[in-house]
Amino acid sequence: MQYYVYILSNVHKNVIYTCVTNDLVRRVYEHKKHLDKSSFTSRYNVENLVYFEQTTDIDTAISREKQIKGWNRKRKEKLIEAKNPNWDDLYENVL
């Protein structure tokens, strides 16, 4: 099974959300459609997939998520920009 650590942002790039999932397409779709109206991503319109990485080990994915969440904003921006300098929405690429 595949696991994904992913980062979402809003259109203004001023909010970053990091999480882990085993179904990236489904999970990003849920964020984009605001299926959980009370969620952080819905409240702040965080729906652009700007970064993701993949692993086959859930423990590795969870550790990586925690690592990224512990970073300051600048370090997260550098991670995103290393693979996605324009902060493009990568969702169409993973469909």
Side-chain angles (χ1 to χ4, degrees):
M1 179 172 272
Q2 297 296 311
Y3 300 94
Y4 302 87
V5 178
Y6 65 96
I7 300 176
L8 301 177
S9 187
N10 62 353
V11 75
H12 304 292
K13 302 175 188 164
N14 62 349
V15 179
I16 294 176
Y17 173 84
T18 306
C19 206
V20 67
T21 186
N22 67 347
D23 188 341
L24 185 62
V25 172
R26 174 192 51 81
R27 194 66 187 109
V28 175
Y29 174 85
E30 292 171 353
H31 291 299
K32 286 184 170 295
K33 297 299 179 183
H34 303 278
L35 297 182
D36 180 357
K37 302 294 183 204
S38 64
S39 71
F40 176 88
T41 56
S42 287
R43 285 194 312 267
Y44 295 98
N45 293 313
V46 178
E47 57 186 51
N48 292 335
L49 178 65
V50 294
Y51 178 87
F52 68 94
E53 50 189 67
Q54 180 178 335
T55 182
T56 57
D57 181 62
I58 186 60
D59 294 324
T60 300
I62 291 169
S63 288
R64 182 66 168 155
E65 174 199 19
K66 288 179 181 179
Q67 179 185 42
I68 293 170
K69 282 184 172 184
W71 291 352
N72 65 29
R73 166 87 189 200
K74 190 108 182 131
R75 190 164 180 191
K76 291 175 191 177
E77 288 175 354
K78 284 183 180 180
L79 178 68
I80 294 164
E81 291 169 359
K83 289 189 178 179
N84 186 3
N86 297 322
W87 291 55
D88 297 324
D89 187 355
L90 304 174
Y91 183 65
E92 294 295 323
N93 299 358
V94 298
L95 290 178

